[in-house]
Amino acid sequence: MPDETMTKQRDRMVRRQLEPRGITDQLVLAAMRETPRETFVPRDLRNRAYSDEALPIGMGQTISQPYIVAAILQALGLRGHERVLEVGTGSGYSAALLSRLAAHVVSVERLEPLVRRARRCLDTAGADNVEVIHGDGGRGWPAQAPYDAIAVHALAPELPQALVDQLAPGGRLVVPLRGYVGGVLTLFTRTESGGLEHRALDAVAFVPLISGASPADERTP
Ligand code: SAH
């Protein structure tokens, strides 16, 4: 499909899926208008690249629904100078958005085939300030801590303490936490004095964060 058509579809996505649901941060909206989601969607699903849904990317995982990514990004309140940690690279789409909103992005993914795929897609999209790392993001990535912002893209049973420990003073952490029904997107803010504040944002559906254990789905498809 020609680029112009995709640009129109992105504009429509912003007007119909994001703005009416309360995404108002102009930097986030601009990043969503400029980032080619079609680059991160499997070839046979590209005609649905701007539909209002998560789409399968293999290995039982999904590229997130645009609105959910936008809600996470808006909660992080990025202004361009931040060093960001992302847990759950998946397709690399949210990492590509982060790359436009922050100075440097470290993105950790536990499934190696997805790491390779995401690196390729991020190269194609020209996101050159993103490092994709193969590992258990539930433990964070201490080598480059502290981070001004941390985004978790998989449902966590509880707040991973390792991530809190890697948050800079004033830093923000957005994580979908398991609630009574589904997940609740939750924003944690580290205060300058070292305390932790939290606020529930939205009810959401996510694939699970698998941390610590050695799950059966490590195999390639
Ligand atoms: N934000 C991604 C979608 C992520 S789906 C996108 O825009 O495409 C969630 C991802 O989290 C999956 O790829 C899954 O493999 C990964 N994941 C789950 N637990 C993880 C962990 N402990 N560390 C790193 N990645 C994890």
Side-chain angles (χ1 to χ4, degrees), residues 5-196:
T5 318
M6 288 298 183
T7 308
K8 280 194 184 140
Q9 289 193 39
R10 279 198 288 278
D11 282 347
R12 197 180 324 130
M13 168 187 82
V14 166
R15 274 184 283 112
R16 295 198 182 159
Q17 300 173 30
L18 308 184
E19 288 174 340
R21 291 175 178 149
I23 306 297
T24 54
D25 183 324
Q26 291 305 313
L27 297 177
V28 171
L29 293 173
M32 300 290 302
R33 264 189 219 103
E34 290 161 8
T35 304
R37 191 167 184 255
E38 68 273 17
T39 303
F40 299 87
V41 164
R43 198 167 290 279
D44 57 326
L45 294 175
R46 283 202 182 155
N47 59 339
R48 283 157 70 190
Y50 295 100
S51 57
D52 190 11
E53 60 187 341
L55 294 168
I57 55 170
M59 305 204 65
Q61 305 303 325
T62 55
I63 176 172
S64 311
Q65 180 190 3
Y67 164 69
I68 292 296
V69 187
I72 292 174
L73 294 175
Q74 176 160 283
L76 291 176
L78 301 170
R79 286 300 170 263
H81 60 273
E82 296 86 356
R83 295 169 40 76
V84 181
L85 173 68
E86 168 171 79
V87 178
T89 317
S91 67
Y93 175 59
S94 50
L97 287 157
L98 283 168
S99 84
R100 289 173 187 268
L101 293 165
H104 190 76
V105 182
V106 176
S107 183
V108 185
E109 168 58 52
R110 58 179 280 274
L111 297 174
E112 214 265 332
L114 293 185
V115 169
R116 280 187 272 121
R117 183 184 182 279
R119 282 189 185 135
R120 272 200 311 276
C121 295
L122 286 160
D123 267 356
T124 305
D128 53 15
N129 58 345
V130 181
E131 275 175 79
V132 183
I133 288 164
H134 179 213
D136 177 0
R139 298 176 185 158
W141 190 252
Q144 298 199 45
Y147 302 95
D148 304 304
I150 301 179
V152 182
H153 295 287
L155 187 64
E158 57 188 24
L159 175 62
Q161 184 58 39
L163 300 185
V164 176
D165 294 343
Q166 291 169 38
L167 204 54
R172 292 175 171 220
L173 160 65
V174 177
V175 52
L177 288 179
R178 183 166 299 145
Y180 294 108
V181 185
V184 180
L185 202 58
T186 311
L187 166 67
F188 292 86
T189 308
R190 177 143 241 180
T191 62
E192 297 294 337
S193 58
L196 198 63

